[in-house]
Amino acid sequence: MNITIVGLGVIGGSYALALKPLKKYRLFAIDKDEDTLRKAEKLGIIEKGYSLEDNVEEVIKNSDIIIISIYPSLVKSFIENNKAYFAKGTVITDATGVKGLFAQEIIKILPDGVDFIFAHPMAGREKKGLDYASAEVFKGANFIITPIDNNAISNLKLIENLAYEMGFSNVKYLGLKEHDNIIAYTSQLPHVLAVSLINSEALNEDTGKCIGDSYRDLTRIANINAELWSELFLGNKENLLKNIYAFEHEMKTIKEALIRDDKASLEEIFKKSTSRREKL
Amino acid sequence: MNITIVGLGVIGGSYALALKPLKKYRLFAIDKDEDTLRKAEKLGIIEKGYSLEDNVEEVIKNSDIIIISIYPSLVKSFIENNKAYFAKGTVITDATGVKGLFAQEIIKILPDGVDFIFAHPMAGREKKGLDYASAEVFKGANFIITPIDNNAISNLKLIENLAYEMGFSNVKYLGLKEHDNIIAYTSQLPHVLAVSLINSEALNEDTGKCIGDSYRDLTRIANINAELWSELFLGNKENLLKNIYAFEHEMKTIKEALIRDDKASLEEIFKKSTSRREKL
């Protein structure tokens, strides 16, 4: 089976690293960066890489599965530009962090005979680029598939199976809207908090000497791919705002308890959070 | 040198575990829980444990250093109740997460000839009790000493040295007020965020299957000792509120950029957070 990875960045590279040792797939890649492709070939992560200047007709035509892991805004034009090359029966999948509007746009322009299985691996790293790719991040992680009406069951199973082969331990099926609603809470809101926390103070030398693990853990994801995450946030704006308001409402209960010197309420809030965290 | 640890919970127990292997200290403990003391003796973590029913005069009298790691509200009464027993030259230290008002109260009732070196190890675990104690959490962590006017330099050095011996890699000296101001940001605000995040949604089975490392990292400290942290929050209320307001102001810039569909501003905010995180 031939798999082509479009975008050999930190996520695309991690797919390649996770699939390579299985030895049952021939791996190819398309990327805008020549150096990345030559490096991946040299390391044996892929068999052959194609830049945007190369003729990609053949590699696309011969792909059984195409994994697209580029910025959300570029996915549509990649498909449009290469519309003529996809063979009937090709399965496309992606790694995009928002689904609703994004998927609707893609569905409209999808060539006949091509099945797009929208997916979202719930794992990643703060850094970008192939150098930070790692198969390890997928181990034990969650993988979400958001099926659409036209998806063939056999193709959904194919991508589900691929996820398990790469080391994911849970594959969850969700509707497009449902996905965006949940992800606004489990992924985007934490990024809002991390970014706002680290930006909210004049960090100085003293601050750095007074941090513990909690601060380190909470701000890890404040190191963020600005272009990607601004696209993801705006692509899920309503859900994210709704979740920010819900968070603000919760934080308000702590603020008010503090202002009232209300120890009992604080303890109740903490007991609730402890019990929720233990249930995770 | 004899060291007595008052309160053999997760922090007091970790002190004992970190000091024991050095073999230069004889370790004793005072705790309200008999089972904990017998367990610690059996495991060889301490030489002998004393419950509140025991006569603690001798163990206190013979202590060169007393490490108090009990709830902030209990420290004052422990000192008052045992006032008559401290030998001249005894060094007391603590592990309390707030210092300002707390230390002022203690200073007033401190017996003559006893030197209290206020300290705050910036490490810990979510769980409480000796079973979760570990010397590992101190390795490479930050240790803060908040000196007061009467502290002898030699005693400050003694506790500083103890911190390095236990594996801490930085010892930072801060004023009492300065400590509380910084800690409201580096420790208390992260706990407010973690608790509010996990409490702000109706968690269900789907949510649990859609979380990634970021959510897991951000909510780890939502598992929180309710009694201890409500004391710590209320003991540093003004600073904490100030830091919550600063955080809210930062989060507002993200909200407003979202509402305006302002990609450029979001990118700028993310670039700022990335650069700050990298400097940590």
Side-chain angles (χ1 to χ4, degrees):
Chain A
M1 228 183 206
N2 295 340
I3 298 184
T4 299
I5 296 167
V6 180
L8 211 54
V10 63
I11 294 297
S14 298
Y15 270 90
L17 285 167
L19 291 169
K20 193 71 199 167
L22 302 172
K23 291 184 179 151
K24 56 192 275 199
Y25 304 111
R26 296 183 62 186
L27 298 177
F28 304 90
I30 299 173
D31 196 278
K32 63 177 193 290
D33 187 56
E34 282 279 0
D35 293 344
T36 296
L37 292 167
R38 298 298 83 83
K39 193 171 195 176
E41 286 169 355
K42 232 180 232 167
L43 293 168
I45 300 172
I46 55 166
E47 211 171 299
K48 192 168 160 44
Y50 299 80
S51 79
L52 298 180
E53 274 86 62
D54 292 325
N55 183 349
V56 293
E57 178 171 355
E58 212 178 271
V59 67
I60 292 180
K61 201 169 267 174
N62 290 329
S63 298
D64 300 291
I65 299 175
I66 296 176
I67 299 169
I68 304 183
S69 54
I70 53 182
Y71 288 157
S73 60
L74 302 176
V75 177
K76 194 177 161 189
S77 60
F78 174 82
I79 292 176
E80 275 176 332
N81 295 341
N82 299 289
K83 214 166 176 155
Y85 304 154
F86 297 99
K88 296 254 177 238
T90 304
V91 176
I92 305 182
T93 188
D94 70 331
T96 316
V98 288
K99 293 302 180 197
L101 296 171
F102 167 79
Q104 300 302 341
E105 296 262 293
I106 301 292
I107 292 166
K108 277 186 219 154
I109 56 140
L110 215 56
D112 282 344
V114 170
D115 201 5
F116 201 127
I117 311 292
F118 292 94
H120 182 189
M122 294 297 296
R125 300 186 74 177
E126 310 85 79
K127 306 275 188 169
K128 49 184 176 177
L130 179 63
D131 290 344
Y132 296 98
S134 147
E136 289 310 304
V137 295
F138 294 160
K139 299 267 177 291
N142 292 318
F143 190 91
I144 307 174
I145 293 177
T146 52
I148 54 172
D149 283 350
N150 297 335
N151 288 151
I153 302 283
S154 58
N155 292 334
L156 289 166
K157 287 284 161 198
L158 180 75
I159 299 301
E160 178 180 334
N161 183 49
L162 205 69
Y164 286 123
E165 285 181 334
M166 288 189 291
F168 288 91
S169 64
N170 274 303
V171 177
K172 176 82 190 161
Y173 285 81
L174 289 178
L176 296 172
K177 279 191 181 169
E178 206 182 351
H179 168 274
D180 285 2
N181 192 18
I182 292 183
I183 241 58
Y185 172 66
T186 60
S187 167
Q188 299 190 321
L189 180 57
H191 283 80
V192 170
L193 304 185
V195 166
S196 301
L197 173 60
I198 207 161
N199 282 352
S200 80
E201 206 250 2
L203 282 179
N204 58 36
E205 197 228 349
D206 281 351
T207 315
K209 294 254 163 68
C210 300
I211 63 174
D213 286 340
S214 56
Y215 187 85
R216 253 179 239 113
D217 282 356
L218 259 86
T219 56
R220 184 180 58 83
I221 55 171
N223 189 333
I224 188 170
N225 179 331
E227 198 180 339
L228 174 63
W229 281 87
S230 54
E231 276 188 26
L232 293 174
F233 274 23
L234 290 172
N236 200 22
K237 169 180 162 166
E238 297 307 330
N239 283 320
L240 180 52
L241 282 169
K242 194 184 70 188
N243 277 280
I244 291 175
Y245 298 141
F247 172 85
E248 286 177 325
H249 177 79
E250 272 307 314
M251 194 161 68
K252 200 170 161 223
T253 64
I254 295 183
K255 266 196 306 189
E256 289 177 348
L258 277 172
I259 291 167
R260 285 197 311 270
D261 283 309
D262 182 351
K263 191 161 185 284
S265 289
L266 285 177
E267 286 189 13
E268 215 169 286
I269 292 166
F270 295 156
K271 277 175 190 159
K272 180 178 166 189
S273 71
T274 297
S275 128
R276 284 177 165 232
R277 185 58 174 82
E278 281 173 351
K279 272 188 212 129
L280 260 193
Chain B
M1 225 181 207
N2 294 341
I3 298 183
T4 298
I5 296 167
V6 180
L8 210 54
V10 63
I11 294 295
S14 298
Y15 271 91
L17 285 167
L19 292 169
K20 195 69 200 169
L22 302 172
K23 291 184 179 151
K24 56 192 276 197
Y25 303 112
R26 296 182 63 186
L27 298 177
F28 304 91
I30 299 173
D31 196 278
K32 63 178 194 286
D33 186 56
E34 282 279 359
D35 292 345
T36 296
L37 293 166
R38 299 298 84 83
K39 194 173 195 174
E41 286 169 355
K42 233 181 230 166
L43 293 168
I45 301 171
I46 55 165
E47 211 170 300
K48 191 167 159 49
Y50 299 80
S51 79
L52 299 180
E53 275 87 61
D54 291 327
N55 184 349
V56 292
E57 178 172 353
E58 213 178 87
V59 66
I60 292 180
K61 202 169 270 176
N62 290 327
S63 298
D64 301 290
I65 299 175
I66 296 176
I67 299 169
I68 304 183
S69 54
I70 54 182
Y71 289 156
S73 59
L74 303 177
V75 177
K76 194 177 161 190
S77 60
F78 173 82
I79 292 175
E80 276 177 332
N81 295 342
N82 299 288
K83 215 166 177 156
Y85 304 156
F86 298 99
K88 296 254 178 236
T90 303
V91 176
I92 305 182
T93 187
D94 71 331
T96 317
V98 289
K99 294 300 180 197
L101 295 172
F102 166 78
Q104 300 302 340
E105 297 263 293
I106 301 293
I107 292 166
K108 277 186 221 156
I109 55 137
L110 216 54
D112 281 345
V114 169
D115 201 5
F116 201 128
I117 311 291
F118 291 95
H120 182 189
M122 294 297 295
R125 300 187 74 178
E126 310 85 81
K127 305 276 186 168
K128 50 184 176 177
L130 179 64
D131 290 344
Y132 296 99
S134 147
E136 290 309 305
V137 295
F138 294 159
K139 299 266 177 293
N142 292 319
F143 190 92
I144 307 175
I145 293 177
T146 52
I148 54 172
D149 284 348
N150 297 335
N151 287 152
I153 302 283
S154 58
N155 291 335
L156 289 166
K157 287 284 162 200
L158 179 76
I159 299 303
E160 178 181 335
N161 183 48
L162 205 69
Y164 286 124
E165 285 182 332
M166 288 190 290
F168 288 90
S169 63
N170 275 303
V171 176
K172 175 83 190 159
Y173 284 82
L174 288 177
L176 297 171
K177 278 190 179 168
E178 206 182 353
H179 168 275
D180 285 3
N181 192 16
I182 293 183
I183 241 58
Y185 172 66
T186 60
S187 167
Q188 298 189 322
L189 179 57
H191 283 80
V192 170
L193 303 186
V195 165
S196 301
L197 173 60
I198 208 161
N199 281 352
S200 80
E201 206 250 1
L203 281 178
N204 57 36
E205 196 229 350
D206 281 351
T207 315
K209 293 254 163 68
C210 299
I211 62 174
D213 286 339
S214 55
Y215 187 85
R216 253 179 240 113
D217 282 355
L218 259 86
T219 56
R220 184 179 57 85
I221 54 172
N223 190 332
I224 189 170
N225 179 331
E227 200 180 337
L228 174 63
W229 281 88
S230 54
E231 276 188 26
L232 293 174
F233 275 22
L234 290 172
N236 199 21
K237 169 180 162 168
E238 297 307 331
N239 283 319
L240 180 52
L241 282 170
K242 195 184 68 188
N243 276 280
I244 291 176
Y245 298 141
F247 171 85
E248 286 178 326
H249 178 78
E250 272 306 313
M251 194 160 69
K252 201 170 159 222
T253 65
I254 295 183
K255 265 195 309 187
E256 288 175 348
L258 278 172
I259 291 167
R260 287 196 311 269
D261 283 310
D262 182 350
K263 190 161 186 284
S265 289
L266 285 178
E267 286 189 13
E268 214 170 287
I269 292 166
F270 295 156
K271 276 174 191 160
K272 181 178 167 190
S273 71
T274 297
S275 127
R276 285 178 163 232
R277 186 58 174 81
E278 280 173 352
K279 272 190 213 128
L280 261 194

